Amino acid sequence: MEVMQRMGQIAVVVLMSPLPFAAFACSMPRPEEYLGPATLRKRMVAEQIKARGIRDERVLRAMERVPRHEFVPDHLQTVAYRDHAIAIDHGQSISQPYVVALMTELLELKPNSVVLEVGTGSGYQAAILAEIAARVFSVERIPQLADSARCRLERLGYRHVSVRTGDGYEGWPEAAPFDAIIVTCGGDHVPEPLLQQLKPGGTLVMPVGPTTDCQTLWLIEKDHKGRLSKHKKGNVRFVPLRRGD
Ligand code: SAH
């Protein structure tokens, strides 16, 4: 009897112990380095982007497809899908994933849209635009960033993106007019050449405000008669739009 009791206890211990352990192990969030980039992107879209109200399926799909970790410096690849901006070379940064998604959604891109981006940086935002639009033109003032973004985008197969070094304040007159314009650096006003290069019916998004502080995200719509209307879409913080050297 005593033996039976003891055997019963052992059986209970043996049977029970792996279960709570397994349950515990499953509920632990797995560190990023053990999850593949595709899984991390799915999680990023669900938790940071959908959860905050982005609904445009084309934007969600683009955010799920573009390998953000390929656009950040090697030592930051493991944190590429976290909920914050990431420093890239030359003191610049890639925006937080949610801000990239929000600005893209505000543009209301269509498969035949032609888009201008001011501030190529790493090329990440350009790749997101290229997942949705027909043609993307992107201007970057720092030649080394423009060159590496161009190579990266080409390597990843984004052949309908053109990157050039220059002052994005002036837009890209030879490629204008654009259905949509996105400025990914902040200034105290929207450059007049960009407003001129926007098609009637087009949309422009830009952070506007004091360059060293927080800016307001502006959405500007040009109606079919060429009239402009301005809508404020929350506060953001971007590196400044610079002119000259
Ligand atoms: N969209 C980028 C991040 C932009 S950071 C990405 O997805 O990685 C802002 C970029 O704007 C910086 O690279 C900065 O050099 C660039 N920039 C600032 N002023 C500019 C100007 N006048 N013309 C073009 N690019 C400019």
Side-chain angles (χ1 to χ4, degrees):
M1 183 64 191
E2 206 180 313
V3 172
M4 290 290 284
Q5 257 179 357
R6 291 202 56 188
M7 279 182 67
Q9 276 169 6
I10 290 167
V12 167
V13 170
V14 169
L15 273 175
M16 290 294 289
S17 63
L19 286 176
F21 176 73
F24 175 69
C26 288
S27 67
M28 290 266 290
R30 291 178 69 191
E32 281 112 328
E33 55 267 38
Y34 299 127
L35 296 173
T39 310
L40 290 172
R41 280 200 292 282
K42 273 202 158 76
R43 194 158 90 174
M44 170 189 85
V45 168
E47 294 173 5
Q48 302 172 32
I49 296 172
K50 265 191 189 165
R52 291 192 178 113
I54 303 294
R55 290 282 170 268
D56 186 331
E57 278 301 326
R58 286 173 295 196
V59 176
L60 298 174
R61 228 176 303 130
M63 299 294 297
E64 218 169 279
R65 284 172 57 99
V66 177
R68 183 170 161 97
H69 64 284
E70 301 263 10
F71 292 81
V72 305
D74 287 352
H75 68 287
L76 294 175
Q77 288 207 346
T78 53
V79 299
Y81 295 99
R82 289 196 189 163
D83 194 13
H84 52 64
I86 293 187
I88 55 173
D89 292 343
H90 302 276
Q92 307 304 320
S93 55
I94 308 192
S95 302
Q96 179 191 12
Y98 169 66
V99 174
V100 172
L102 173 65
M103 290 175 81
T104 310
E105 184 174 66
L106 290 172
L107 292 174
E108 293 187 25
L109 300 177
K110 298 179 185 60
N112 60 352
S113 297
V114 179
V115 191
L116 172 70
E117 179 190 30
V118 175
T120 317
S122 68
Y124 176 67
Q125 173 75 71
I128 295 288
L129 300 169
E131 286 284 340
I132 306 172
R135 195 82 176 80
V136 178
F137 295 87
S138 186
V139 191
E140 168 57 53
R141 67 182 282 277
I142 301 175
Q144 296 90 329
L145 285 180
D147 291 346
S148 57
R150 189 181 305 109
C151 291
R152 183 177 292 124
L153 288 162
E154 213 173 285
R155 175 169 60 79
L156 294 171
Y158 294 103
R159 303 205 192 286
H160 52 307
V161 182
S162 303
V163 177
R164 84 170 182 194
T165 302
D167 181 1
Y169 189 97
E170 304 296 343
W172 193 319
E174 306 88 321
F178 301 101
D179 299 290
I181 299 179
I182 177 169
V183 184
T184 61
C185 37
D188 59 4
H189 65 280
V190 178
E192 188 55 39
L194 300 186
L195 294 173
Q196 282 168 10
Q197 290 171 30
L198 188 62
K199 266 188 200 166
T203 47
L204 179 152
V205 242
M206 175 173 172
V208 180
T211 50
T212 51
D213 206 346
C214 123
Q215 302 111 3
T216 303
L217 193 58
W218 280 14
L219 167 67
I220 294 183
E221 292 173 326
K222 190 185 255 190
D223 72 13
H224 288 281
K225 291 190 170 151
R227 288 174 306 206
L228 299 170
S229 59
K230 185 178 95 184
H231 314 270
K232 294 182 178 175
K233 296 290 172 181
N235 294 329
V236 285
R237 190 175 181 159
F238 274 78
V239 297
L241 184 146
R242 292 194 191 284
R243 309 218 52 210
D245 289 323

